[in-house]
Amino acid sequence: MRLFTKGKAFAGILLAKVKVNYTKKSVRIFNYYFLLLAICCLGATYLFNRHPASFELGVDQSITITALLLTVLLFFQLVRVNKGKKAAERKLQITQVRFDKVYNAGIVGLLFTRLDGVVIQANDCFLSMIGYSADELAKGLVSWKTLTPEKFQSASAHAVEQLKTLGYCEPFEKEYLRKDGTTVSVILASSLLDSNDSADAVTFIIDISHKQQARVREDELNQYILKQKEELQRLLMNAPAMISLRRGPELRLEFSNQASRDYSGNKDHLGLTPKEIAAKFNINTGTGMLEKVYRTGESFTAKAFNLKFDRTGNGQMEEAWFDFVLEPLMDEQGRIDGVASFGFDVTDMVKANMELKESENRFRFLADSLAHKIWTCGPDGKANYYNKGWYDYLNAGTFEELHTAIWASIHPDDLQAAQSLWAKAVVTGDDLELEQRFKNAKGEYQWHLTRCCAHKNTAGEIVLWVGSCTNIQDQKVVQETADLLSRKKDEFLGIASHELKTPITSMKASLQILDNLPDEDFKPAKVKSFVGMANRQVKKLNAIVDELLDVTRIESGKMALNYTTYSLSDSVRDCAEEIRSYAKDKYIILTTSPDIMVIADKVRLEQVIVNLLTNAAKYSPAGGTISIELENRGGVVRLTVIDNGIGIPPSRQRMIFEKFSRAHEASQKYSGLGLGLYISSQIVRQHGGDIGVYSEAGNGAKFWFELPLYPDSPN
Ligand code: ADP
């Protein structure tokens, strides 16, 4: 604005200088001199006529003197006038130079116009502002009225009115239309060139488009800042943390977000001091933290800060825990002006931690009360807890002592296995189970069953290893004794069956000879019947001894298989026929695919099939049905024997494949040692197959076995 004021003043000076008419002024002064001279001449003439005596000079002399005086005066006057003229010309020149400088400086647009819009003259600065050339101006293409956009026409008209009435118009802002159609923002002021003639005016124009742009930019920035401010406010308002801002030395609450309000029963407490707010919540804790932050400018952080307060104002005190941060707030000059607080209610977390601690204590109590040795390890396998059982067993004082003592107490023969299994488990995360000996405080090794289980999170990552060591020394002794006895029994059975086999074979041979003797060779009917009975018993005895011998072979790993390629369909058919011959009271149905060829030990597999068929016949009533199904299941052959006999209770179905196992109490009425299925399962498994049963007590049984048609490596 100062620039415009200066412009206006400068314009005034210029106009004043332009209006000075030095010639007129000089002539006026000249006329005054001549008037004075004329008065002097008249006065002298008058004096001369009234008192001629008082003058000794004649008339002619008087005239001469007067003429001389006039000449002298005229000379001086001419000299004076000439001097004044030169000074005025010099001034005019200086003014002209100054004006030209301003006119051509390119800082201010200058134009001489008529009030009707015609632009008589304009400097380059103005022409470049509006994008017209001097030629176009000369051709009369530039009119300030047509350059003025519609919306500024009234402002221009007002300026013209001012010019007419005041001789000048106040500076005002408007736009001109540039030749290219764009607009340029300007500020302008005008003055009439001759205050008596309102036709011509001189106008000074300054391009303010950059200022205008700056103003627009400033407005945009202000808008942006406002938007950011609103966004920040919204963010703070909706943040899940409890946020509040306090200002001034009294730290009065200036802002509290929704989370804070919700927490305190939708009360904002704006304008209150910390003490007043504390009183509302019935809080006894001082407000010193806030004041300290305000005083020192240092932030304050609290973790799980415990508070008892009347949260909702209903008179009921509640206990809560908060994590919070207090931060100083600064004013524009960087001085501390308040305190901001950001808080989280961590009550649930704290309570959960307390419960965790409590359950940890319970776990420790439980673990310590157990006779077992318990420990836990981190995911990396490093032990972090041992129960009392360990401390007692090794009589250790500290955790470190015990940790070292445990590894040192492992029996040297068990150490390597323990170390490698544990190292593997830590990598794979698989559970671990092993038996190992630990030396107790008295120096005795005792057997323990060690189990380690990895507790994993939902992502499958190991969180904790839990280990237990159960003292199995007594069971181990019992087991070892039992194993010894079992070995002895097997040895005895092996020897006994071997020893029995020879006399039985010779008895069998003798009975056959006796049976085959012609009746004439002393063979009465009674003897014949006894021989028949003895033969059957010997056959049974022989079968028992065979079974015992098979068990001995299996136990000693000496049951070799003799693989051949043969038709299983034919073999099953033969077995069915064999059963049919002695189980005449059973109805036997055989369903088989025409020709299933297998690579297997024919004799051993027939032993299995006959065993299943014999059992089906033995454990089903007279008139019962036995179905045999043989099917090729693509790479696997499956044989199923179904009867409608007494069936097997589910609880006993697994054990019947073990040695000397019988499923029924009433089995006494069915002969057998409980070895047939054991031997059968061993034969099938040795062929790479599997065996099983489906049954319900009283509803028959469905025994099956499967074999690979082409075993991996038949030996
Ligand atoms: P066992 O000589 O006693 O028959 P096995 O090993 O062949 O010995 O059978 C074991 C037990 O399984 C039998 O004692 C019997 O209790 C039960 N068992 C076997 N087959 C059948 C069947 N088809 N029906 C009911 N029970 C059966």
Side-chain angles (χ1 to χ4, degrees):
M1 201 59 201
R2 268 197 356 244
L3 189 63
F4 306 130
T5 319
K6 270 187 187 169
K8 189 184 161 195
F10 187 61
I13 292 164
L14 278 176
L15 289 171
K17 296 288 178 195
V18 172
K19 284 177 193 167
V20 165
N21 187 333
Y22 69 89
T23 313
K24 278 184 186 173
K25 192 181 172 190
S26 303
V27 169
R28 251 193 333 263
I29 294 165
F30 188 75
N31 289 344
Y32 292 148
Y33 276 115
F34 264 89
L35 188 67
L36 191 69
L37 190 63
I39 293 165
C40 288
C41 284
L42 283 173
T45 310
Y46 172 74
L47 284 172
F48 179 74
N49 289 331
R50 263 199 77 181
H51 307 288
S54 57
F55 287 89
E56 287 179 9
L57 293 172
V59 173
D60 291 345
Q61 287 168 319
S62 301
I63 290 167
T64 306
I65 288 165
T66 307
L68 270 170
L69 272 169
L70 281 170
T71 309
V72 169
L73 280 170
L74 188 62
F75 174 75
F76 280 114
Q77 185 60 28
L78 280 172
V79 168
R80 196 181 168 89
V81 165
N82 205 30
K83 257 172 92 180
K85 190 181 169 191
K86 277 189 176 162
E89 274 174 357
R90 236 186 358 263
K91 274 186 184 172
L92 188 63
Q93 248 176 2
I94 291 165
T95 308
Q96 182 68 39
V97 168
R98 284 180 180 163
F99 177 74
D100 286 350
K101 283 236 170 194
V102 173
Y103 190 79
N104 298 319
I107 302 165
V108 179
L110 248 171
L111 65 161
F112 296 95
T113 60
R114 285 216 300 270
L115 298 192
D116 58 3
V118 174
V119 177
I120 303 160
Q121 197 180 339
N123 66 353
D124 289 346
C125 177
F126 178 70
L127 290 173
S128 75
M129 261 184 231
I130 56 167
Y132 281 88
S133 67
D135 274 357
E136 287 166 323
L137 175 74
K139 283 179 194 159
L141 298 176
V142 179
S143 153
W144 64 258
K145 270 200 174 167
T146 49
L147 289 178
T148 304
E150 189 55 43
K151 61 178 173 176
F152 290 103
Q153 286 292 353
S154 67
S156 290
H158 178 70
V160 168
E161 278 313 304
Q162 265 197 342
L163 268 175
K164 283 180 185 166
T165 50
L166 302 173
Y168 64 90
C169 79
E170 297 282 350
F172 69 102
E173 286 179 22
K174 67 177 274 188
E175 283 174 10
Y176 280 124
L177 281 168
R178 292 167 54 85
K179 192 182 167 189
D180 61 10
T182 58
T183 55
V184 55
S185 298
V186 295
I187 183 162
L188 58 90
S190 294
S191 178
L192 289 180
L193 280 174
D194 187 342
S195 51
N196 297 322
D197 180 2
S198 62
D200 298 337
V202 60
T203 304
F204 300 88
I205 299 157
I206 297 170
D207 181 350
I208 56 163
S209 24
H210 62 284
K211 205 176 162 191
Q212 203 74 335
Q213 281 164 8
R215 211 181 287 160
V216 169
R217 180 83 190 120
E218 193 182 325
D219 283 352
E220 280 171 6
L221 276 173
N222 281 339
Q223 284 292 325
Y224 181 69
I225 290 167
L226 200 73
K227 204 168 147 243
Q228 296 267 310
K229 220 171 142 183
E230 281 169 7
E231 270 175 14
L232 185 68
Q233 182 110 356
R234 210 170 33 249
L235 206 76
L236 291 180
M237 185 53 96
N238 299 322
M242 287 181 267
I243 302 171
S244 59
L245 308 179
R246 293 173 170 80
R247 292 269 183 198
E250 289 188 298
L251 294 170
R252 290 191 180 274
L253 192 65
E254 184 190 84
F255 170 84
S256 69
N257 74 341
Q258 199 55 47
S260 309
R261 293 175 192 188
D262 290 347
Y263 194 79
S264 54
N266 220 7
K267 291 176 197 126
D268 58 25
H269 297 123
L270 294 180
L272 300 188
T273 65
K275 282 197 176 92
E276 287 164 345
I277 293 173
K280 293 237 175 241
F281 286 114
N282 202 1
I283 298 174
N284 291 325
T285 319
T287 53
M289 290 168 290
L290 284 164
E291 280 143 20
K292 191 174 171 207
V293 172
Y294 184 78
R295 212 173 49 249
T296 62
E298 286 167 14
S299 3
F300 178 85
T301 307
K303 284 249 162 235
F305 185 84
N306 182 229
L307 208 60
K308 288 191 184 69
F309 65 130
D310 179 6
R311 184 168 66 87
T312 48
N314 60 5
Q316 274 199 320
M317 294 299 275
E318 291 179 29
E319 186 169 27
W321 286 263
F322 297 93
D323 281 357
F324 65 83
V325 182
L326 301 180
E327 286 285 345
L329 290 170
M330 307 291 173
D331 64 10
E332 293 82 18
Q333 277 81 42
R335 291 175 306 222
I336 299 166
D337 183 33
V339 176
S341 84
F342 305 85
F344 290 94
D345 179 6
V346 290
T347 307
D348 290 346
M349 203 174 77
V350 170
K351 282 186 176 166
N353 276 343
M354 283 174 170
E355 274 170 29
L356 197 72
K357 195 99 200 137
E358 181 55 36
S359 87
E360 200 179 305
N361 287 342
R362 271 203 299 271
F363 164 76
R364 278 172 192 276
F365 177 74
L366 191 81
D368 284 348
S369 66
L370 290 175
H372 303 259
K373 294 161 193 72
I374 310 285
W375 75 96
T376 59
C377 297
D380 55 357
K382 284 204 179 105
N384 48 30
Y385 167 76
Y386 294 112
N387 77 336
K388 190 168 172 291
W390 270 118
Y391 285 92
D392 291 350
Y393 187 74
L394 293 171
N395 200 17
T398 64
F399 178 89
E400 281 71 27
E401 247 176 64
L402 178 62
H403 185 68
T404 320
I406 288 174
W407 282 101
S409 69
I410 299 174
H411 194 287
D413 291 351
D414 305 334
L415 186 61
Q416 208 189 346
Q419 281 171 334
S420 65
L421 280 173
W422 178 231
K424 194 174 153 211
V426 169
V427 175
T428 61
D430 293 339
D431 293 350
L432 169 155
E433 185 173 308
L434 80 155
E435 289 180 3
Q436 58 189 149
R437 284 158 285 182
F438 291 98
K439 190 159 65 179
N440 63 16
K442 291 186 216 152
E444 298 161 350
Y445 279 106
Q446 300 214 317
W447 278 102
H448 286 75
L449 172 68
T450 300
R451 273 204 186 118
C452 268
C453 296
H455 174 55
K456 296 174 185 171
N457 61 16
T458 46
E461 296 154 342
I462 299 171
V463 181
L464 183 80
W465 282 97
V466 179
S468 69
C469 271
T470 310
N471 192 323
I472 51 166
Q473 182 62 24
D474 292 346
Q475 292 97 303
K476 202 75 185 174
V477 170
V478 171
Q479 180 69 45
E480 274 169 5
T481 315
D483 286 351
L484 188 68
L485 284 174
S486 173
R487 271 200 308 280
K488 293 264 178 224
K489 182 193 76 188
D490 287 345
E491 263 172 45
F492 165 76
L493 285 175
I495 295 163
S497 43
H498 261 290
E499 293 307 312
L500 283 170
K501 190 74 182 166
T502 318
I504 288 169
T505 312
S506 76
M507 269 169 68
K508 207 175 155 192
S510 306
L511 282 168
Q512 261 172 4
I513 293 166
L514 196 59
D515 198 29
N516 290 337
L517 278 179
D519 289 349
E520 317 79 75
D521 293 352
F522 183 66
K523 201 175 167 195
K526 204 161 189 180
V527 171
K528 203 178 173 184
S529 129
F530 280 122
V531 167
M533 204 188 301
N535 239 336
R536 282 196 297 282
Q537 293 309 319
V538 166
K539 207 174 169 188
K540 274 190 189 170
L541 197 60
N542 192 39
I544 290 170
V545 171
D546 278 347
E547 278 189 340
L548 288 172
L549 278 172
D550 279 346
V551 171
T552 313
R553 281 189 201 104
I554 290 164
E555 297 291 301
S556 60
K558 284 183 189 155
M559 192 177 71
L561 297 180
N562 181 22
Y563 280 92
T564 54
T565 305
Y566 68 98
S567 166
L568 185 62
S569 312
D570 291 347
S571 170
V572 171
R573 212 169 282 123
D574 293 346
C575 294
E577 279 313 311
E578 189 185 327
I579 293 300
R580 219 174 249 139
S581 67
Y582 74 80
K584 294 201 169 67
D585 59 342
K586 303 292 182 310
Y587 183 56
I588 294 169
I589 306 165
L590 173 65
T591 316
T592 170
S593 307
D595 207 6
I596 299 175
M597 299 298 289
V598 290
I599 303 170
D601 185 322
K602 186 170 182 255
V603 176
R604 286 296 180 190
L605 270 194
E606 283 185 353
Q607 185 183 342
V608 174
I609 298 163
V610 168
N611 180 245
L612 295 183
L613 293 175
T614 313
N615 281 349
K618 188 160 64 170
Y619 298 107
S620 54
T625 306
I626 298 169
S627 301
I628 308 161
E629 289 168 9
L630 182 67
E631 47 186 332
N632 183 345
R633 293 190 163 187
V636 171
V637 61
R638 185 180 175 104
L639 179 96
T640 315
V641 177
I642 307 159
D643 65 60
N644 56 353
I646 60 172
I648 307 160
S651 59
R652 305 226 169 162
Q653 285 172 14
R654 272 181 66 181
M655 56 168 274
I656 56 172
F657 295 98
E658 288 168 14
K659 257 188 302 185
F660 303 110
S661 280
R662 312 204 71 199
H664 309 96
E665 301 303 329
S667 281
Q668 301 309 336
K669 73 175 184 187
Y670 305 104
S671 65
L673 288 178
L675 286 174
L677 286 178
Y678 168 71
I679 295 164
S680 296
S681 70
Q682 293 300 316
I683 292 169
V684 169
R685 282 181 191 134
Q686 219 170 312
H687 274 85
D690 201 5
I691 189 165
V693 64
Y694 304 107
S695 179
E696 268 178 46
N699 268 335
K702 184 176 175 180
F703 278 87
W704 60 268
F705 74 79
E706 276 182 357
L707 291 178
L709 274 175
Y710 308 102
D712 283 343
S713 55
N715 49 32

